[in-house]
Amino acid sequence: DAGVTQSPTHLIKTRGQQVTLRCSPKSGHDTVSWYQQALGQGPQFIFQYYEEEERQRGNFPDRFSGHQFPNYSSELNVNALLLGDSALYLCASSLGDFQYFGAGTRLSVL
Amino acid sequence: GIQVEQSPPDLILQEGANSTLRCNFSDSVNNLQWFHQNPWGQLINLFYIPSGTKQNGRLSATTVATERYSLLYISSSQTTDSGVYFCAVATGTASKLTFGTGTRLQVTL
């Protein structure tokens, strides 16, 4: 049983560009959450998707958007990248309360 | 929103030593998870423990929900235990996790 898979593992972009990160949840999980982890800090909640709808959102600007597909996989899109968007982006899937995390995508914005 | 504090922020142990990590939270929770983040960034689930006590090998955890704290015990530490330990909580009907600032553990030979 594959766990939560994220792609790509690493990504380098320049300021102003747009990026799309992908997440496949653990088999049987219907809820996907995205977190941003800056260097030296704990992960911060971005948003959560359930039944293809954004169910909850953290304190992130509208430049951060997402999507969930009928097979429960999800994408995180970030527009107009800023240097401060450089971070590890983590996807978590769940069926109920217990959340399982993927290995993350490390985004560097130059 | 809920506040989550972890202590100590940093811990250096010799291999074989025991340690206790603490997580304090400011409101009632219906989800509490402990994670180990390895040097490559992977968050590894250790415990789902909104209340009570659980054990898994050399690790055990206790959450006293009425007093709003949780403890993670590591016995006979090994170098592979090195990394950052996070406590994360969720409240009410919200399932988003709020993470603490972590405890960075280094186990030396």
Side-chain angles (χ1 to χ4, degrees), chain B residues 9-90:
Chain B
D10 295 281
L11 189 57
I12 300 175
L13 299 174
Q14 277 199 321
E15 197 171 42
N18 303 327
S19 61
T20 301
L21 283 57
R22 187 177 179 103
C23 171
N24 292 330
F25 42 95
S26 60
D27 201 352
S28 300
V29 300
N30 57 10
N31 181 3
L32 189 149
Q33 294 181 238
W34 281 97
F35 297 92
H36 174 213
Q37 189 166 42
N38 66 23
W40 298 271
Q42 174 79 56
L43 277 172
I44 299 164
N45 282 295
L46 298 177
F47 294 102
Y48 169 76
I49 189 168
S51 64
T53 297
K54 291 186 178 179
Q55 181 160 5
N56 184 5
R58 296 182 296 105
L59 302 181
S60 63
T62 295
T63 297
V64 184
T66 54
E67 297 187 22
R68 300 181 183 170
Y69 73 88
S70 183
L71 302 174
L72 177 68
Y73 305 96
I74 304 174
S75 63
S76 304
S77 58
Q78 300 175 358
T79 56
T80 52
D81 295 331
S82 297
V84 182
Y85 289 80
F86 287 104
C87 163
V89 302

Side-chain angles (χ1 to χ4, degrees), chain A residues 9-21:
Chain A
T9 55
H10 295 84
L11 203 51
I12 299 175
K13 292 286 188 178
T14 57
R15 280 179 298 174
Q17 285 189 312
Q18 179 264 344
V19 68
T20 298
L21 310 182

Side-chain angles (χ1 to χ4, degrees), chain A residues 30-87:
Chain A
D30 58 5
T31 303
V32 173
S33 303
W34 287 92
Y35 294 81
Q36 180 196 65
Q37 187 177 18
L39 196 61
Q41 299 183 18
Q44 299 288 318
F45 175 78
I46 303 175
F47 43 53
Q48 183 181 84
Y49 278 83
Y50 172 71
E51 292 189 344
E52 303 180 51
E53 296 285 335
E54 183 182 288
R55 184 162 68 172
Q56 299 180 70
R57 188 178 182 92
N59 189 25
F60 279 80
D62 292 344
R63 299 186 297 108
F64 290 77
S65 63
H67 188 77
Q68 186 179 34
F69 299 93
N71 67 354
Y72 305 126
S73 67
S74 177
E75 289 182 347
L76 163 65
N77 301 293
V78 187
N79 294 323
L81 284 167
L82 304 174
L83 295 179
D85 295 331
S86 294

